[in-house]
Amino acid sequence: MSYYVTTPIYYVNGEPHLGHAYTTIAADVLARHMRQRGEDVFFLTGTDEHGEPVAQAAEKLGITPRELGDANAVRFKELAVALNATNDFFIRTTDPEHMAKVAEVVQRIYDNGHVYAGHYEGWYCPRCADFKTESELVDGNQCPIHRIVLEIETEDNWFFRLSAFQERLEQLYAEHPDFVTPQNRYNEALSFIKSGLRDFSLSRQRLKWGVPVPWDDSQVIYVWIDALLNYYTALSYARPGEDLTDRFWPATVHLIGKDILKFHAVIWPALLMAADLPVPERVGIHGFLLLGEHKMSKSLGNVIEPFRVVELYGEDALRFYAMREVSFGSDGEVSPEGFETRYNTELANEYGNLASRTLAMIGRYRDGVVPDAKPATEVAGEFEGLRQAVCERLDAVEITPALDEIWRRIKLLNRYVTEEEPWQLAKDEAQAERLDEVLYTLAEGLRVVSVLLHPFMPRTVERLLEALGREDLSLDGAQLGAVGGGAELGELGQLFPRVEAEASAA
Ligand code: ME8
């Protein structure tokens, strides 16, 4: 089965921050998990470089939009690398191949009769690159998102007949209850559609920075249309000499933040319908990380800056924190203290300790070889159905609940150690078989949770599995008892060392 997952393409008008990292991490978790399941995966991310948001930011800096794009696209690429994201391609909307394909699709929409010349007058936010209705404005004439004063713009430009797609969109929603998840976002999008769709301008007259309208080069294509089409155009040129469109289109899931719901859940499927192209299977929407300023942490300062966290704690700690702290789909606070607490309690104490204790006890009591035994019944019962549950959660883009399922088993294994007290069993030769069972169960439990955790914390898990002498990552083996004893354990340093604030003062 093919699985195509995307992130939004990020605006190059600023530096990447944790919000961008969040969606990229989530997409990478899904991509890695699906590869573990043996699916044919394509994972796309990239940058959105045209339009007013970028043109205006460049103007303020006194550089060209291309210079700004070139500088910040590099930063977004570096972010993906720093996060250990396995994107198969990084698209930039300034790629000539993308631009040519955008022109081609927009021409098709025009040829299909869905475009007309019109006159627009309305409130326009250049930072959103979007028109606002009177009812959306706050404090008279401000953008509800950017809180900047808006002006009424009038332009003659080309309009897309969105209103003509109302019925087909309603039908799409009726037939595909998972088209938008979670449910509250589905409801929000559907009620937006039902409230009546207005045509919108597909081109901009005053702006020069964009893809020229194929039949009227005095105008450029509206940045959102240019941007949305990236998901489709990338497949045609991501692999030189090969067109991946048939293999991966329609996309399996577009991951986005709630800020851009209307574009992805309403306008995007309508555009595809207008171009006679299949619509994606799902738009998975997450909430907002509230990145406010916080009490200073000694090592991280007062904001969670992704490059800084990776430098100090490694990318796995950030990946874990992002997916664990704020339930995917909801809004939630993130803070340096919150990060450090989870790092110390969950990563170092719960997972790290489970690993080091298990390896140390097998080293001490069984010469570093995992004993051969059957998994303890009480633990086996708790692991029953785990792999299936994780798969189902991730199929539904419920990323935090999938991680919770795994973490519950890590806590359980820690309780199991405390209850069984292997160090007492080791004192009594008559308990040798029991000790074998306990140590085997721990090693096997640790292996299973680690295989399932791999998409979340790939580097850490690879280190741990290597030390466990069992490096197979396929999901088939993610069941308690799937692998017998006999593995020789290797060395495992500290998985989550304490980070000293002093060491990071520079
Ligand atoms: O909107 N919390 O780009 P953008 C969680 N170019 N996620 C956040 C976030 C936060 N505080 N801040 C940003 C654009 N994000 C367009 C997209 S797609 C065809 C074009 C993430 O740079 C989240 O995924 O403003 C959000 O939807 C996206 O970054 C917006 O990125």
Side-chain angles (χ1 to χ4, degrees):
M1 197 186 83
S2 77
Y3 186 90
Y4 179 24
V5 57
T6 66
T7 72
I9 47 170
Y10 307 114
Y11 281 132
V12 286
N13 53 0
E15 280 263 324
H17 57 64
L18 187 66
H20 305 119
Y22 187 62
T23 322
T24 301
I25 292 169
D28 192 52
V29 168
L30 295 180
R32 285 176 179 271
H33 169 80
M34 290 299 165
R35 288 193 204 103
Q36 268 186 313
R37 276 160 71 170
E39 310 296 2
D40 185 22
V41 172
F42 197 84
F43 165 20
L44 181 72
T45 187
T47 42
D48 187 355
E49 306 192 12
H50 288 136
E52 255 136 335
V54 177
Q56 289 197 348
E59 198 181 318
K60 270 201 197 123
L61 293 168
I63 57 177
T64 65
R66 184 172 294 280
E67 284 167 337
L68 182 62
D70 285 347
N72 278 332
V74 169
R75 295 294 287 155
F76 279 98
K77 279 187 183 174
E78 285 170 353
L79 179 67
V81 171
L83 297 171
N84 198 7
T86 52
N87 51 299
D88 294 283
F89 188 59
F90 188 101
I91 188 169
R92 298 181 57 184
T93 53
T94 45
D95 292 343
E97 299 92 333
H98 164 80
M99 293 174 67
K101 199 83 183 172
V102 167
E104 189 187 308
V105 177
V106 170
Q107 179 72 53
R108 202 181 318 153
I109 294 174
Y110 178 82
D111 293 343
N112 285 348
H114 303 301
V115 177
Y116 61 95
H119 175 78
Y120 193 84
E121 184 165 323
W123 299 96
Y124 185 76
C125 174
R127 299 269 297 280
C128 293
D130 192 14
F131 290 100
K132 305 285 164 188
T133 60
E134 289 279 346
S135 62
E136 283 173 305
L137 299 181
V138 291
D139 292 341
N141 57 357
Q142 291 189 21
C143 166
I145 297 169
H146 295 101
R147 292 297 183 135
I148 52 172
V149 173
L150 305 187
E151 291 183 4
I152 292 210
E153 291 214 359
T154 54
E155 258 192 22
D156 288 318
N157 40 33
W158 297 97
F159 273 65
F160 173 61
R161 218 181 285 281
L162 181 63
S163 57
F165 291 88
Q166 170 131 3
E167 216 169 285
R168 282 183 67 187
L169 287 171
E170 285 182 20
Q171 193 186 345
L172 169 73
Y173 275 68
E175 287 169 4
H176 299 275
D178 290 333
F179 179 64
V180 174
T181 56
Q183 183 72 42
N184 60 335
R185 299 294 171 199
Y186 172 99
N187 296 343
E188 185 182 332
L190 184 57
S191 73
F192 181 82
I193 295 167
K194 287 195 165 160
S195 71
L197 296 176
R198 289 184 314 153
D199 298 347
F200 67 92
S201 51
L202 167 148
S203 64
R204 308 287 293 135
Q205 192 182 45
R206 252 169 289 167
L207 196 70
K208 292 281 162 280
W209 181 236
V211 180
V213 172
W215 60 91
D216 172 6
D217 64 10
S218 71
Q219 305 220 4
V220 295
I221 293 170
Y222 176 41
V223 61
W224 266 104
I225 293 186
D226 172 356
L228 286 164
L229 279 166
N230 91 87
Y231 303 128
Y232 177 71
T233 66
L235 295 175
S236 68
Y237 70 98
R239 292 283 165 275
E242 199 182 350
D243 190 330
L244 301 174
T245 312
D246 288 346
R247 188 160 139 206
F248 290 108
W249 193 262
T252 317
V253 54
H254 295 309
L255 290 188
I256 60 162
K258 65 177 187 179
D259 50 333
I260 51 180
L261 171 136
K262 180 183 75 181
F263 293 104
H264 285 80
V266 183
I267 293 177
W268 180 222
L271 281 176
L272 288 166
M273 288 169 181
D276 299 322
L277 293 170
V279 301
E281 283 168 33
R282 183 196 293 263
V283 182
I285 298 179
H286 64 71
F288 252 45
L289 303 187
L290 309 171
L291 310 165
E293 304 228 331
H294 295 268
K295 205 172 85 217
M296 217 51 165
S297 143
K298 274 197 206 132
S299 45
L300 289 175
N302 60 353
V303 287
I304 300 199
E305 200 284 304
F307 289 105
R308 177 85 178 137
V309 178
V310 169
E311 184 191 325
L312 285 176
Y313 295 87
E315 77 280 3
D316 284 347
L318 180 62
R319 295 169 64 105
F320 168 79
Y321 176 72
M323 295 300 104
R324 181 117 171 111
E325 182 79 345
V326 177
S327 189
F328 201 78
S330 313
D331 292 348
E333 287 264 342
V334 289
S335 68
E337 313 91 79
F339 171 85
E340 282 168 359
T341 302
R342 286 217 188 253
Y343 182 86
N344 290 324
T345 56
E346 297 188 325
L347 291 180
N349 291 346
E350 292 178 0
Y351 187 50
N353 261 351
L354 175 67
S356 57
R357 284 166 112 184
T358 301
L359 266 73
M361 290 189 293
I362 295 172
R364 196 169 315 134
Y365 308 132
R366 292 295 180 263
D367 288 332
V369 177
V370 179
D372 205 16
K374 290 261 168 297
T377 332
E378 64 269 36
V379 176
E382 295 284 350
F383 271 66
E384 185 90 34
L386 170 62
R387 179 183 61 167
Q388 189 59 25
V390 170
C391 290
E392 282 170 11
R393 296 297 202 175
L394 291 179
D395 280 340
V397 198
E398 294 170 359
I399 302 180
T400 308
L403 183 52
D404 290 346
E405 290 278 356
I406 305 167
W407 217 261
R408 207 149 58 75
R409 273 46 174 221
I410 291 176
K411 287 180 189 282
L412 178 118
L413 290 171
N414 274 318
R415 273 203 307 278
Y416 180 68
V417 180
T418 318
E419 281 162 17
E420 295 301 320
E421 301 186 312
W423 47 92
Q424 298 295 355
L425 298 174
K427 289 182 189 159
D428 182 357
E429 200 38 51
Q431 299 283 2
E433 228 173 275
R434 185 73 197 293
L435 182 59
D436 279 351
E437 181 186 276
V438 172
L439 295 177
Y440 170 76
T441 302
L442 286 173
E444 185 58 1
L446 186 58
R447 186 189 64 79
V448 171
V449 293
S450 298
V451 171
L452 292 168
L453 267 184
H454 184 262
F456 295 89
M457 298 198 283
R459 196 185 306 268
T460 303
V461 163
E462 282 160 29
R463 262 179 73 192
L464 178 50
L465 289 180
E466 195 188 334
L468 275 176
R470 302 289 186 199
E471 290 168 60
D472 181 17
L473 286 173
S474 78
L475 231 60
D476 290 342
Q479 297 194 82
L480 205 70
V483 169
E488 279 187 40
L489 302 186
E491 277 299 311
L492 179 73
Q494 225 183 333
L495 282 182
F496 302 102
R498 274 193 183 275
V499 171
E500 297 301 332
E502 286 75 18
S504 62

